[in-house]
């Protein structure tokens, strides 16, 4: 009888873990462990010309809440493509090739100006491109007095978060990219990718190439470390955004593979 009771208790524990409810990313708590399960939504597969693949390296992404904007890189010429994808049914609305985005490492959507802002990173770390999200055409380039690798925009604050190249720290800036505050980040020793934010937290996807592991580092707006989410994929994480707390992640993999991330407590 005792063995039966122990077995039933174990079975109930396993079942409760298997059917653990998912949470919104802003509901993450500092004293708990989480993992991100993945549901693939679309594979943005680039064209090839005479057997040569172009625009097949996934980079930054952003959203306006209705559409996702995903950047892929043609590294041989440091040109980028932007894929505009409708999130309700994951159909491709538009694609623009040949944009002078350099690495196109990350992107943000400014809802007040209705603009996409793209961080070039390599080889021009101090350049941003402003893009019309309706046409995907470049409007202008902005030269910064600092070097950037990632970007996010917060509508409530009307401020940008900008990841500082060569550092795990970030700047909070005004809507014209003027520095308001520098916030610290933890040097994890692994590859920094893009960034995302909401009114509660700031999120940094990072890639451990030695172990093929992916993580999302979570901080508050004062730069205090909150948590580290484990992402269940061996593909290289590139960038992410969230829509009402539901996260979408772009991974490299012969083009851009986009997944919905389901966050569950371990």
């Amino acid at each position: 009888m005792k063995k039966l009771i122990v077995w039933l208790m174990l079975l109930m524990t396993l079942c409760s873990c298997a059917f653990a409810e998912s949470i919104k990313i802003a509901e993450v708590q500092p004293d708990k462990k989480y993992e991100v399960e993945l549901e693939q939504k679309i594979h943005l597969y680039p064209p090839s010309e005479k057997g040569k693949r172009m625009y097949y390296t996934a980079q930054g992404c952003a959203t306006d809440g209705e559409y996702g904007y995903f950047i892929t890189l043609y590294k041989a010429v440091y040109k980028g493509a932007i894929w505009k994808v409708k999130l309700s049914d994951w159909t491709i609305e538009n694609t623009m090739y040949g944009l002078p985005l350099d690495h196109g490492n990350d992107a943000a959507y400014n809802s007040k100006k209705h603009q996409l802002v793209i961080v070039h990173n390599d080889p021009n770390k101090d350049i941003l491109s402003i893009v019309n999200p309706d046409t995907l055409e470049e409007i202008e380039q902005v030269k910064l007095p600092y070097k950037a690798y990632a970007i996010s925009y917060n509508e409530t604050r009307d401020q940008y978060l900008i990841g500082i190249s060569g550092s795990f720290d970030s700047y909070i800036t005004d809507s014209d990219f003027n520095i308001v505050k520098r916030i610290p980040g933890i040097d994890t020793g692994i590859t920094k990718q893009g960034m995302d934010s909401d009114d509660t937290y700031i999120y940094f996807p990072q890639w451990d190439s030695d172990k093929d592991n992916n993580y999302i580092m979570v901080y508050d707006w004062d730069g205090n470390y909150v948590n580290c989410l484990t992402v269940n994929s061996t593909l290289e994480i590139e960038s992410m955004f969230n829509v009402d707390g539901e996260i979408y992640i772009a991974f490299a993999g012969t083009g851009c593979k986009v997944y919905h991330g389901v966050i569950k407590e371990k």
Side-chain angles (χ1 to χ4, degrees), residues 200-259:
T200 306
Y201 293 135
I202 305 166
Y203 312 103
F204 297 89
Q206 296 185 3
W207 160 247
D208 185 345
S209 58
D210 291 335
K211 298 179 181 179
D212 289 343
N213 289 336
N214 292 291
Y215 306 97
I216 298 173
M217 305 295 292
V218 183
Y219 293 82
D220 66 21
W221 278 81
D222 292 317
N224 298 307
Y225 170 79
V226 176
N227 210 316
C228 175
L229 314 183
T230 302
V231 181
N232 292 334
S233 177
T234 58
L235 294 172
E236 181 181 356
I237 196 169
E238 292 292 343
S239 53
M240 62 174 285
F241 58 73
N242 82 89
V243 179
D244 297 326
E246 297 292 333
I247 62 171
Y248 298 90
I249 306 173
F251 290 88
T254 315
C256 179
K257 293 184 176 181
V258 184
Y259 292 79

Side-chain angles (χ1 to χ4, degrees), residues 106-217:
D106 201 16
Y109 174 73
N110 185 320
S111 53
K112 294 194 175 183
K113 296 182 179 180
H114 189 54
Q115 294 175 340
L116 285 175
V117 183
I118 298 171
V119 170
H120 281 222
N121 200 21
D122 287 334
N124 295 299
K125 294 181 172 67
D126 59 349
I127 298 296
L128 304 175
S129 277
I130 310 298
V131 171
N132 183 330
D134 297 325
T135 64
L136 304 184
E137 294 175 336
E138 185 177 66
I139 300 170
E140 63 174 322
Q141 290 190 350
V142 176
K143 187 174 178 63
L144 302 172
Y146 46 85
K147 295 179 180 179
Y149 78 90
I151 191 167
S152 179
Y153 175 76
N154 182 270
E155 181 181 46
T156 302
R157 296 168 176 263
D158 192 23
Q159 292 177 327
Y160 289 99
L161 281 155
I162 296 181
I164 305 169
S165 288
S167 170
F168 283 79
D169 294 356
S170 303
Y171 289 130
I172 296 175
T173 80
D174 64 18
S175 59
D176 294 315
F177 312 110
N178 299 305
I179 298 170
V180 174
K181 180 181 178 181
R182 182 170 179 147
I183 56 175
I186 297 170
D187 185 344
T188 60
I190 60 178
T191 303
K192 303 171 297 178
Q193 303 287 28
M195 68 192 305
D196 186 34
S197 67
D198 52 35
D199 290 348
T200 306
Y201 293 135
I202 305 166
Y203 312 103
F204 297 89
Q206 296 185 3
W207 160 247
D208 185 345
S209 58
D210 291 335
K211 298 179 181 179
D212 289 343
N213 289 336
N214 292 291
Y215 306 97
I216 298 173
M217 305 295 292

Side-chain angles (χ1 to χ4, degrees), residues 67 83-86 91-95 134 136:
Y67 295 98
W83 307 65
K84 183 176 181 177
V85 180
K86 194 170 185 178
T91 56
I92 298 171
E93 182 84 4
N94 192 12
T95 309
D134 297 325
L136 304 184

